[in-house]
Amino acid sequence: MIKNYFKIAFRNLKRHKAYAFINIAGLALGITCAILIFTLVKYHLSYDTFHPNSDRIYRVITEFHSEEVSYSGGVPGPLGKAFRNDYTFAEKVARVIAYENQLLSLPQSRDNKKFQEEQGVAYADPEFFEVMDFPLVKGDKKTALSEPNTAVITQSVATRYFGNENPIGQTIRLDNRFNHKVTGVLQDLPATTDRRQEIYLSYANLKDQNAWLAGDDSWGGVFSGMNCFVLLKPGVTQATVEKALPAMSKKYYDAEGAKVFQFKLQPISDIHFNPDLGGYVEKKNLWALALVGLFLIITACVNFINLATAQALTRAKEIGVRKVLGGLRAQLFWQFISETALITLFALVVAFGMALIALPYVNQLFESQISINLFQDYYLLTFVGVLLVVVVFFSGSYPGLILAGFQPMQALKGKLAQKNVGGFSLRRGLVITQFAISQVLIIGTIVIADQMRYSKESDLGFNKDAVVMLPVPVRDGAKLSTLRSRIEQVAGVTGSSFCYQAPAASSNSSTGLRFDTRTEDEVFSINMKNADDQYIPTFGLKLVAGRNIIPSDTTREFVVNEMLVKKLGLKSPEEIIGKQLSVNGGTITAPIVGVVKDFYNYSFRTDISPVCIMSDINRYQNYGVKINLDNVKPTLTAIEKIWSETFPEFVYRQEFLDERIASFYELDAIMLRLIQFFSGVAIFIGCLGLYGLISFMAVQKTKEIGVRKVLGASVESILWLFGKEFVRLVIIAFVVAAPLAWWVMNKWLAEFKYKIEIGFGIFALAITATLVIAGLTVGYRSFRAAVMNPVKSLKTE
C-alpha cells in the first residue's frame, strides 16, 4: 500500500511539473535556511563548553562604579596574584594577557624567517593549562611555562615554523629582541574557543612588554587584554566568591578607589555572549536568528498549502472516482501525505546541496569553521528528522483533509465550489502571514542599513579619511624622527603623527584621575591617548581653548576634551587651562594646556568618554600618515619602501583608519547581510504563495472572466479584479507588521547611544517595495488569465 502511495504520488508530480517545481523550490529554500541557521546557532552555543570543568571556570572582571556602572573583561595586573594569596576558593588561578599582531622570527634559521602573527602572543601563568583544557601533545603542562623565556606553541605553528623537525628546544624570537625556548606543543585549538592565540609565553616575561603592568603596584589601571581565570573548588559558588571580593578592593585601594573598582566573576560559558565584556554575539541575537529560520519554514509551508488547495479542484474527478471505487477517506489522506513527503524529500535533498554550497560563504562571513556532517552530527540528524516530519504534516494535513473530504457525486459532476476547498479566508490569512513576516524583515533591513550609513557618514569629531595607520615596532627616538622626516617628504603626504591609537580605537587605556587640588580621585575614569604634538592637526581635532602640547618624548602637558570639563563640573573650557591633572595612579602629573572639541573615541554604542592627550614615546604603537587620495598608489609604495628601510628586521603592514573604524560595526554588517538575504528568501517564498492564491482565483473565475470579456470588459479591468485582492492583503499585512517591526528595531537601536529615528519614510519604503514586488508576481499570472480566449473560458464548465 505504501509503495502504491508513493508510485501514485510520483505520477501526480510528474504530471504537474510546474506545481512540483514551485513547491520544491519554496520548501528547499526554507529548509536550506533552517539547516544553516541551526548549524550556526549550535556552533556558537558550543563555545568553550568542551572544558571538563567548564561549570567551575570563571573569569574575574572589573565593575567600575562611577556616575554609571560599566564593565571590563580585564583586571589590574596584580589581581591574579592577590586572589591566589588572599583567598582559598580556587584550585587554580591563572593570569593571561594577549598582545595582537606580534612579529615572531627564528634566529637559528638560515634566513632568519619572520612571521607576523595576527592573533599575536599571550603571556600566561603555568597554571593556565590546568584551568583550561588545552592538551599538550609534547611537554608537561605543569612546568612548560614555569621558567622565564619559555614558550608553548600549537601543532600548526610548530609545523609552520619548523616543518618536520622536533620543536622542543627550538628558539623563537619575539619582536626581534626576546628569545624564548619552546618547551611544549599544544594540540591545535578547537574552533569553538575565544582564546585564539597559538603562542603562549611565560608570564614572567610580561615585563618585556610592559614593566608597569607586570608589577605588583599597577592597581590603578585596567587593560582589557589582562584576564584572570579561576578554577573554583567543588562546592564553591559564584555568589560566595563575589561576596568576599569587596574586601580585596578595600585592601588594595583607598576609600574612594574601593568604591570605583569592584570585581565580579563571569562564567566561561558567558564570555562569548556578553557584549558588555567583549562577547562576540548575544544569545538573544542567536534566538532571533532561530526565530527567523522558523518563520521561513512556516512561510514555505504556508506557500505549499496555498498551492495545494489551489490545485485541489483540478483533482476533483480523480478523488470522486477513487471514492466511488471504494477508496476510504483515510487512504486518500495518506495518499496526499505521501505526495507531500515525496516533495519534502526532494526539497530536503536540494536543500542539503544548497546548504553545502552556501556553507563556505557563511564561514567566510562569520570567520568560523562550521561543518555539515549529517550522519556524524547527532544533533543535526535529529533536527533534520524532526523538521522533515513537521513539514510533511504541517504542509500536507490541511490539503489532505480537504481532498479526502470531497463528496464523490459533486466531484464527478464538477459541482465543487471554492468553499469545498477552503475558500479564500484561510488562504488570505496565510498570505497575510507570509507578507507580514516579509515586511518585518524588510523594515529591519532598512533600519539597520540606515544606522550603518549614519555611523559611516556622521561627523566623528576627527578626520578618519585618507589616514594610513602603520605599526611602530621600535620606540627609538632617532629612528622615529628619521622615519617622519623621510615620509613627510613623500609627494602626497600631508601630515603624520606617532600615537598609541587613533582617536577612535577598539583598544583603549583607561585609568583613574585626580584634578588639581582636589584631595580625592574622581569617580570616573579617563581615556589616555598617548600621542605627539602632531596628533591634533593630523587627525583634524579642533581646539576650543588653550593650545596644543609642545614636542616632547615624555609627558609634560595635557590636552583634554570637553567631556572632561563637563564631568569635572566646570562652567567653561577656559577654566581648566593651567590646572594640574594626575593620572595612572598618581605616577603622571602635568598641567592642562588645551581643550579639544569632543570626538567619538569608540563606536556609537558607547558614550563619549573623558580623554587626555599626552606625549610618551614608550607608548607609541601606531604611526598615522595623512595622504592625498589623488595619487594613492605611488604614495603608499613610497611609504612602504621607507618604512621597510627603517625597520628591515620587521614585516610591513598597513591599514586605513576608516577600515579600522568600520570593524567596530562588523557584527552589524554581518547582521545586515543576513537579514537582506533572509528578506529576499521570505519575499520569494511569499510571492510563490501569492502566485498560488492568484492561480486559485484564476481557476475559480475562469467562466466569470470569459463572461466579462464577452460583455466588453478590458484587460485592465480584469487585471484590477485580481490586483485589488493582493493590494488589500499586502496592506493588511503591513498593518500587522509595522508595529511589530517598530518595536523590534527600537529594541535593537537602544544598544546605540547615538542613533537614527525610525520615521515614516522607512515604513513608506517598505510598503512600496512590497507592493512593487508583489505586483509583478500578481501581474504575470493575472495577465495570462486576462488575455485567455473567452470562448475557451466559457467551455470549461
Side-chain angles (χ1 to χ4, degrees):
M1 181 65 74
I2 295 175
K3 181 180 178 182
N4 188 51
Y5 285 157
F6 279 101
K7 185 183 291 185
I8 294 169
F10 184 76
R11 288 173 180 170
N12 279 323
L13 296 180
K14 194 174 180 182
R15 188 180 306 119
H16 302 101
K17 292 183 178 67
Y19 165 78
F21 173 78
I22 292 173
N23 270 324
I24 290 172
L27 286 173
L29 275 173
I31 295 171
T32 300
C33 293
I35 290 172
L36 289 172
I37 289 172
F38 174 82
T39 309
L40 183 64
V41 170
K42 182 174 74 70
Y43 173 82
H44 282 285
L45 291 178
S46 66
Y47 258 71
D48 283 312
T49 58
F50 57 86
H51 303 286
N53 299 313
S54 59
D55 60 325
R56 293 195 286 129
I57 300 175
Y58 292 83
R59 179 172 68 168
V60 185
I61 63 167
T62 305
E63 187 177 85
F64 298 101
H65 288 258
S66 51
E67 296 167 308
E68 295 180 353
V69 177
S70 59
Y71 301 89
S72 171
V75 292
L79 183 139
K81 183 177 179 180
F83 190 98
R84 188 184 296 121
N85 294 335
D86 296 351
Y87 298 107
T88 59
F89 297 122
E91 283 185 11
K92 300 291 179 182
V93 179
R95 293 169 293 180
V96 59
I97 180 169
Y99 287 92
E100 297 179 351
N101 281 314
Q102 297 295 304
L103 178 72
L104 277 297
S105 57
L106 306 180
Q108 295 174 339
S109 63
R110 187 178 304 169
D111 52 355
N112 192 26
K113 290 181 182 177
K114 297 182 178 66
F115 303 89
Q116 189 70 40
E117 297 291 346
E118 288 188 15
Q119 298 295 346
V121 301
Y123 295 91
D125 280 326
E127 295 85 357
F128 180 73
F129 298 115
E130 297 182 71
V131 176
M132 301 292 192
D133 184 35
F134 296 141
L136 268 71
V137 295
K138 293 183 179 181
D140 184 351
K141 65 181 180 181
K142 293 183 178 181
T143 60
L145 294 178
S146 60
E147 297 295 327
N149 304 110
T150 52
V152 172
I153 61 178
T154 64
Q155 291 171 303
S156 295
V157 171
T159 302
R160 188 152 42 95
Y161 285 14
F162 307 110
N164 295 323
E165 294 181 40
N166 184 2
I168 301 296
Q170 300 276 8
T171 299
I172 59 175
R173 180 173 291 168
L174 174 68
D175 205 23
N176 282 318
R177 291 182 292 169
F178 308 111
N179 288 345
H180 297 266
K181 184 175 72 174
V182 177
T183 54
V185 177
L186 284 171
Q187 183 177 307
D188 282 340
L189 301 178
T192 51
T193 178
D194 286 305
R195 305 301 312 181
R196 299 315 310 164
Q197 287 74 36
E198 296 186 90
I199 300 173
Y200 288 86
L201 308 177
S202 172
Y203 192 86
N205 291 102
L206 176 60
K207 64 182 185 334
D208 299 335
Q209 282 275 8
N210 191 320
W212 179 78
L213 195 61
D216 292 337
D217 300 319
S218 56
W219 287 93
V222 174
F223 176 54
S224 59
M226 170 65 80
N227 292 162
C228 176
F229 289 93
V230 297
L231 175 64
L232 298 184
K233 293 177 179 177
V236 177
T237 64
Q238 179 180 351
T240 302
V241 179
E242 290 184 342
K243 189 176 180 181
L245 284 176
M248 179 181 285
S249 299
K250 292 176 181 177
K251 180 176 180 179
Y252 294 101
Y253 293 95
D254 59 23
E256 198 61 38
K259 294 178 184 177
V260 175
F261 291 88
Q262 296 290 317
F263 303 105
K264 303 287 183 183
L265 296 187
Q266 179 191 21
I268 192 172
S269 58
D270 183 61
I271 291 176
H272 190 67
F273 307 106
N274 194 322
D276 293 331
L277 295 165
Y280 180 76
V281 60
E282 291 186 77
K283 279 189 178 179
K284 68 178 183 181
N285 290 338
L286 294 179
W287 301 135
L289 198 58
L291 193 61
V292 169
L294 177 63
F295 283 159
L296 292 175
I297 286 292
I298 292 173
T299 300
C301 292
V302 165
N303 171 68
F304 184 96
I305 294 169
N306 272 336
L307 288 171
T309 50
Q311 190 78 8
L313 287 179
T314 65
R315 302 183 62 179
K317 290 186 178 180
E318 175 198 341
I319 301 301
V321 169
R322 289 182 180 279
K323 283 203 164 189
V324 168
L325 293 176
L328 300 176
R329 182 166 183 166
Q331 290 175 322
L332 294 170
F333 173 80
W334 284 108
Q335 179 192 323
F336 190 80
I337 288 294
S338 66
E339 288 184 21
T340 307
L342 196 60
I343 289 173
T344 307
L345 281 171
F346 280 135
L348 185 61
V349 172
V350 174
F352 258 98
M354 293 169 66
L356 290 171
I357 292 170
L359 189 60
Y361 299 100
V362 173
N363 280 329
Q364 183 180 4
L365 185 64
F366 284 92
E367 296 182 353
S368 57
Q369 299 176 39
I370 302 171
S371 61
I372 295 179
N373 299 302
L374 181 61
F375 299 107
Q376 296 178 10
D377 187 337
Y378 169 78
Y379 294 104
L380 180 59
L381 186 61
T382 303
F383 171 76
V384 169
V386 171
L387 182 64
L388 182 64
V389 172
V390 169
V391 169
V392 168
F393 282 94
F394 182 67
S395 301
S397 294
Y398 176 73
L401 290 171
I402 292 294
L403 284 168
F406 281 174
Q407 295 300 317
M409 296 305 294
Q410 287 181 312
L412 291 171
K413 289 181 179 180
K415 297 295 184 181
L416 291 175
Q418 59 181 349
K419 65 181 180 180
N420 298 109
V421 289
F424 285 134
S425 298
L426 177 65
R427 271 178 296 285
R428 283 170 176 158
L430 295 176
V431 170
I432 287 169
T433 301
Q434 286 180 313
F435 274 93
I437 292 171
S438 300
Q439 290 189 72
V440 168
L441 292 172
I442 290 172
I443 293 168
T445 300
I446 296 170
V447 171
I448 294 174
D450 279 1
Q451 178 63 27
M452 295 286 287
R453 184 166 51 251
Y454 174 75
S455 302
K456 186 177 180 180
E457 296 176 358
S458 294
D459 181 10
L460 301 180
F462 64 90
N463 185 2
K464 65 180 174 62
D465 298 318
V467 177
V468 183
M469 302 301 292
L470 310 177
V472 178
V474 176
R475 284 81 171 175
D476 182 306
K479 276 195 172 185
L480 297 187
S481 178
T482 302
L483 178 67
R484 185 205 297 274
S485 176
R486 293 185 64 191
I487 282 185
E488 290 192 344
Q489 291 176 13
V490 173
V493 173
T494 59
S496 67
S497 171
F498 292 104
C499 57
Y500 173 63
Q501 292 288 350
S506 57
S507 177
N508 291 285
S509 181
S510 296
T511 185
L513 72 147
R514 183 170 296 185
F515 177 65
D516 203 34
T517 57
R518 296 180 184 179
T519 57
E520 294 182 345
D521 288 353
E522 301 301 322
V523 296
F524 56 88
S525 58
I526 192 167
N527 190 338
M528 295 190 300
K529 299 283 185 185
N530 300 100
D532 63 17
D533 61 299
Q534 294 303 304
Y535 191 74
I536 290 175
T538 298
F539 291 102
L541 301 178
K542 300 175 180 63
L543 277 167
V544 295
R547 59 172 175 82
N548 193 3
I549 57 175
I550 60 174
S552 175
D553 288 343
T554 57
T555 302
R556 297 173 62 185
E557 297 172 335
F558 288 109
V559 168
V560 300
N561 66 344
E562 293 173 308
M563 183 58 69
L564 179 63
V565 176
K566 179 181 176 182
K567 292 271 190 183
L568 290 171
L570 305 179
K571 294 180 180 178
S572 69
E574 286 75 14
E575 285 187 57
I576 206 171
I577 303 299
K579 300 293 193 299
Q580 294 288 313
L581 180 66
S582 181
V583 298
N584 211 38
T587 59
I588 303 172
T589 303
I592 298 169
V593 298
V595 179
V596 292
K597 188 177 179 62
D598 281 338
F599 57 88
Y600 295 98
N601 57 299
Y602 193 45
S603 78
F604 280 13
R605 278 189 164 86
T606 59
D607 285 318
I608 294 173
S609 62
V611 169
C612 61
I613 301 169
M614 50 199 271
S615 302
D616 186 351
I617 193 171
N618 294 318
R619 295 272 291 161
Y620 297 161
Q621 294 184 2
N622 288 274
Y623 182 37
V625 182
K626 177 76 174 169
I627 64 173
N628 191 324
L629 291 177
D630 292 337
N631 208 11
V632 176
K633 191 172 181 179
T635 302
L636 292 179
T637 302
I639 290 173
E640 179 179 357
K641 182 175 182 293
I642 293 169
W643 191 98
S644 298
E645 289 173 353
T646 307
F647 306 112
E649 64 276 25
F650 292 91
V651 178
Y652 176 82
R653 52 192 169 85
Q654 65 180 39
E655 185 179 15
F656 277 94
L657 178 57
D658 56 350
E659 294 174 353
R660 187 177 288 186
I661 292 173
S663 67
F664 297 168
Y665 309 100
E666 182 179 359
L667 196 58
D668 298 309
I670 290 172
M671 184 187 294
L672 177 60
R673 282 199 250 177
L674 283 177
I675 200 170
Q676 285 173 334
F677 173 74
F678 292 138
S679 297
V681 171
I683 291 167
F684 179 75
I685 296 174
C687 287
L688 288 178
L690 189 60
Y691 184 88
L693 179 63
I694 297 301
S695 298
F696 177 85
M697 289 177 61
V699 171
Q700 291 299 303
K701 295 178 180 290
T702 300
K703 185 176 179 182
E704 178 188 339
I705 293 170
V707 171
R708 286 176 179 271
K709 291 195 75 173
V710 168
L711 295 175
S714 64
V715 172
E716 290 80 7
S717 64
I718 294 173
L719 286 175
W720 177 241
L721 183 69
F722 292 98
K724 65 182 179 182
E725 178 69 22
F726 97 81
V727 169
R728 187 182 303 121
L729 296 179
V730 171
I731 289 175
I732 293 172
F734 176 76
V735 171
V736 173
L740 177 61
W742 180 87
W743 180 78
V744 170
M745 296 318 298
N746 264 305
K747 284 279 187 182
W748 180 74
L749 286 172
E751 298 175 6
F752 292 85
K753 298 292 184 181
Y754 309 97
K755 58 198 173 189
I756 63 167
E757 294 294 330
I758 302 178
F760 173 77
I762 289 173
F763 296 104
L765 181 58
I767 185 66
T768 302
T770 308
L771 285 170
V772 169
I773 295 168
L776 292 173
T777 304
V778 172
Y780 169 72
R781 187 65 183 86
S782 303
F783 184 76
R784 283 180 58 191
V787 297
M788 183 183 291
N789 189 330
V791 175
K792 186 177 179 181
S793 301
L794 293 172
K795 281 182 180 180
T796 57
E797 290 197 26

